[in-house]
Structure formats: structure tokens, C-alpha cells
């Protein structure tokens, strides 16, 4: 293995294992660039990014300004002197052309490019029902994840695998791949091959996409739940849905349910631990009620005591339902 003098650009937790892997492999991380400390909560205190915390623990110098790599750092002189290569892992912004002209860079991306360029490749792969995905190490260009690919590895996506679980596997695989790609040194990288295929784009997932609209097919809703942040409402209060599974559709309305007997229940109807969907049903396995702790669905149901005709996802409680709380929590 030929050690490389590196600059490392990353911000969230997923970028920590690759940084540690590069240090453990013997590479010289001369500089870590991460996003500025963020204000969290209602107070004025700020907290560093996970990458900054790891870099400080490892004794690595940290900056928040990319100008440090272009020779315009505020500390005087060129903080990037001697850096052979930059490594980008979920940094959170595009690297400007002047910096790329100064320091060539590679990027570890959590998809098989050109599918799912952008900020949320793991989530988009699950939402789309993809059966496989992977990791790529590519050259960084001015465009969004457009550079040629040095190496890639593919993995299958489990039919019930959640985003956090899949991301964990990809981070481990990607860290190994990154170390392999850099093993020959900065001047002996593998041959980079242009991306082949129709690009798709992985826009960031917003709260609206995580809301469970029960008129949609059960399989689609199950994929939303697998993103780990799905939510609905119950009695006007937010209810996180942490785990769920697709089950057969209920055939008839139970006694006391809203609507005419002999017709399928309305989407969102609670039938025990089962929620009616547009074409079937989801069984709730674990939930997170507003103001409470995550719990298994049977325990939540014992406390909530839903009555006949109650539905999830309604903007206000159904008329006549006892114990309804006004207004959804957002």
C-alpha cells in the first residue's frame, strides 16, 4: 500500500467510517473539511458534525472553509500544501471548480451510478422498489455525481430491509472499496470508466414524502416505512410508524365500523393492529406516538383503545370519537 496525503471532505455519520478506514490503512489525512457547527434545539449552543468529532478524536486538523484547499485559507498560507488527493464522502455541497483545479478528488457514492445521483440514493432506491444497489468510487467533476467511475460493488436489497440497515452495509462496503482504490497511491488509481445508462436523480426526502397516505397500495406504503421516518396521525396527533408488514386485505367491515356492511373498510381504518390501505393492508409492528417512546404496536393499541370506525391519517378526529385531541402536531 502506498500512503497518500489526503484532504477529507465529509459531514454526517455515514462519512465517519470511511475516514477512520483511511487513517487505519496508513494514509496521511492532512486536512478535514466539514460543514460548520450547527445550532441544535432552542438554545444558542452549537454542536460539531460527526466528522468533525471523529477528526478531533483522531488528532486531525479541521476547517469549515473549502478555500483552505484553494490556497485562500484565513489562517494564512496554503493549508492544502502537499495534498495529493481529496476524498469526498457526503460532504453536503458541490465542490467549486477552482478547488478541483487545485486538488483532484474522488467521491464515495452510495449507489450504482448513473442511477440515483444526488443526496438520497439509499432512500430513493428503496422507494423505487429496486432489488439491488451498490457503491461507487468516482472522480469528482463540477456536475452532480457525473464523474467517471474507478470501481463499484453491487449488493442486493432485502425485501424488508430498512434504509438504516442498508446504509450501514453500504458504508462498510464503501469504506473497503475506497481503501482498495487508493492502495496504489494517488498516481496509480484504477482506470476510470464513464458512467453508462440513463441517469436518475435522488432528491432529498422531505417530510411530506414520509407521510403515509393510506389510499396508496400497501407495498408502496411499506417502502415508505422502511425509510425509518414514516408518520401518520391518530386523533389529530402525529404517530411515527417504525415497522410494518404487508398483509392480506380485510374483506368486510367489522360490526360498528363506518360505512355500509359488506363493503371493504375505508383506507386508514384500524382493524386491531392492521391498517386498511388502497389495495390491501399493513400490520403495525412498532410505532412512536407523539410525546411518548417507541413501542410495539400491541402495547400502543392497549393504551390508545381505538374504537370502531377510527382511522389513521385523518386531519381531525372522526365525530363522536371519545378522547380526540385537537389539531395535528407537526
Amino acid at each position: 500500500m502506498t500512503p497518500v496525503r489526503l484532504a477529507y471532505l465529509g459531514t454526517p455519520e455515514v462519512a465517519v467510517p470511511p475516514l477512520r478506514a483511511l487513517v487505519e490503512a496508513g494514509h496521511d489525512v492532512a486536512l478535514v473539511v466539514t460543514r460548520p457547527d450547527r445550532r441544535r434545539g432552542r438554545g444558542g449552543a452549537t454542536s460539531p458534525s460527526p466528522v468533525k468529532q471523529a477528526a478531533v478524536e483522531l488528532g486531525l486538523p479541521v476547517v469549515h472553509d473549502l478555500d483552505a484547499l484553494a490556497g485562500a485559507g484565513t489562517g494564512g498560507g496554503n493549508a492544502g500544501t502537499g495534498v495529493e488527493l481529496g476524498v469526498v464522502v457526503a460532504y453536503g455541497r458541490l465542490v467549486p471548480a477552482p478547488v478541483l483545479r487545485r486538488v483532484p478528488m474522488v467521491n464515495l457514492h452510495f449507489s450504482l451510478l448513473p442511477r440515483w445521483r444526488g443526496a438520497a440514493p439509499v432512500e430513493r432506491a428503496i422507494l423505487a422498489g429496486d432489488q439491488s444497489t451498490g457503491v461507487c468510487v468516482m472522480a469528482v467533476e463540477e456536475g452532480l455525481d457525473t464523474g467517471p467511475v474507478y470501481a463499484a460493488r453491487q449488493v442486493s436489497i432485502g425485501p424488508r430491509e430498512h434504509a438504516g440497515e442498508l446504509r450501514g452495509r453500504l458504508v462498510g462496503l464503501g469504506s473497503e472499496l475506497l481503501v482498495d482504490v487508493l492502495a496504489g497511491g494517488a498516481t496509480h488509481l484504477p482506470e476510470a470508466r464513464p458512467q453508462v445508462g440513463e441517469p436518475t436523480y435522488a432528491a432529498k426526502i422531505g417530510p411530506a414524502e414520509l407521510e403515509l397516505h393510506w389510499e396508496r397500495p400497501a407495498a408502496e406504503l411499506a417502502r415508505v416505512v422502511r425509510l425509518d421516518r414514516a408518520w401518520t396521525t391518530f386523533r389529530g396527533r402525529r404517530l411515527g410508524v417504525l415497522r410494518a408488514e404487508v398483509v392480506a386485505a380485510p374483506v368486510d367491515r367489522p360490526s360498528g365500523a363506518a360505512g355500509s356492511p359488506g363493503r371493504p373498510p375505508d383506507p386508514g381504518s384500524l382493524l386491531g393492529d392492521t391498517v386498511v390501505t388502497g389495495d390491501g393492508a399493513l400490520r403495525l409492528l412498532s410505532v412512536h406516538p407523539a410525546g411518548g417512546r417507541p413501542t410495539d404496536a400491541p402495547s400502543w393499541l392497549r393504551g390508545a383503545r381505538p374504537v370502531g370506525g377510527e382511522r389513521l391519517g385523518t386531519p381531525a378526529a372522526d365525530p363522536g370519537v371519545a378522547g380526540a385531541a385537537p389539531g395535528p402536531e407537526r
Side-chain angles (χ1 to χ4, degrees):
M1 197 278 291
T2 303
V4 181
R5 186 169 174 83
L6 299 172
Y8 189 86
L9 288 70
T11 300
E13 186 64 39
V14 295
V16 172
L19 172 61
R20 293 188 182 277
L22 291 170
V23 172
E24 291 171 4
H27 293 292
D28 177 14
V29 181
L31 187 67
V32 173
V33 185
T34 189
R35 303 301 300 275
D37 297 358
R38 292 181 56 188
R39 182 174 290 105
R40 302 182 189 275
R42 296 182 179 180
T46 60
S47 59
S49 72
V51 162
K52 182 175 181 178
Q53 294 180 41
V56 170
E57 178 186 329
L58 292 167
L60 305 174
V62 182
V63 298
H64 298 139
D65 192 347
L66 276 170
D67 286 344
L69 290 175
T74 58
N78 181 4
T81 297
V83 169
E84 300 174 82
L85 191 69
V87 174
V88 183
V89 184
Y91 173 56
R93 58 170 287 195
L94 293 176
V95 181
V99 177
L100 290 176
R101 286 194 291 268
R102 180 89 184 178
V103 180
M105 297 194 182
V106 301
N107 177 40
L108 172 60
H109 186 75
F110 301 112
S111 79
L112 295 176
L113 294 167
R115 187 161 180 80
W116 303 129
R117 295 173 177 173
V122 175
E123 291 86 348
R124 293 297 173 188
I126 289 176
L127 279 182
D130 291 357
Q131 296 184 358
S132 63
T133 186
V135 292
C136 289
V137 176
M138 67 173 186
V140 178
E141 298 180 341
E142 289 185 63
L144 178 63
D145 300 329
T146 58
V149 175
Y150 293 108
R153 301 272 173 83
Q154 181 173 331
V155 298
S156 297
I157 302 176
R160 296 186 180 183
E161 190 170 21
H162 279 233
E165 298 163 344
L166 176 58
R167 187 180 294 107
R169 289 203 294 136
L170 293 176
V171 167
L173 183 64
S175 299
E176 295 174 1
L177 183 62
L178 187 59
V179 170
D180 288 346
V181 166
L182 299 185
T187 59
H188 291 83
L189 299 177
E191 179 183 358
R193 301 182 181 276
Q195 298 179 26
V196 177
E198 186 67 24
T200 59
Y201 291 89
K204 187 176 180 180
I205 303 290
E209 287 187 87
L210 297 168
E211 182 178 5
L212 297 169
H213 296 280
W214 298 104
E215 70 277 5
R216 293 171 59 186
E220 290 184 12
L221 293 169
R223 292 198 290 268
V224 177
V225 172
R226 289 165 57 200
L227 300 189
D228 297 317
R229 294 177 291 153
W231 63 278
T232 185
T233 55
F234 177 68
R235 296 176 182 167
R237 292 172 62 84
R238 184 184 287 250
L239 178 70
V241 179
L242 307 181
R243 296 265 170 183
E245 62 183 3
V246 177
V247 294
V251 177
D252 297 318
R253 295 178 186 274
S255 176
S260 303
R263 291 178 51 199
D266 293 328
S269 296
L270 268 171
L271 307 178
D273 61 358
T274 298
V275 188
V276 179
T277 71
D279 71 344
L282 282 186
R283 175 173 291 120
L284 302 178
L285 301 178
S286 59
V287 298
H288 189 178
R293 297 181 177 180
T295 184
D296 60 278
S299 296
W300 172 72
L301 288 165
R302 284 194 296 271
R305 297 182 182 178
V307 300
E310 282 199 89
R311 289 184 291 147
L312 298 182
T314 51
D318 291 341
V321 174
E329 290 191 354
R330 295 286 181 177

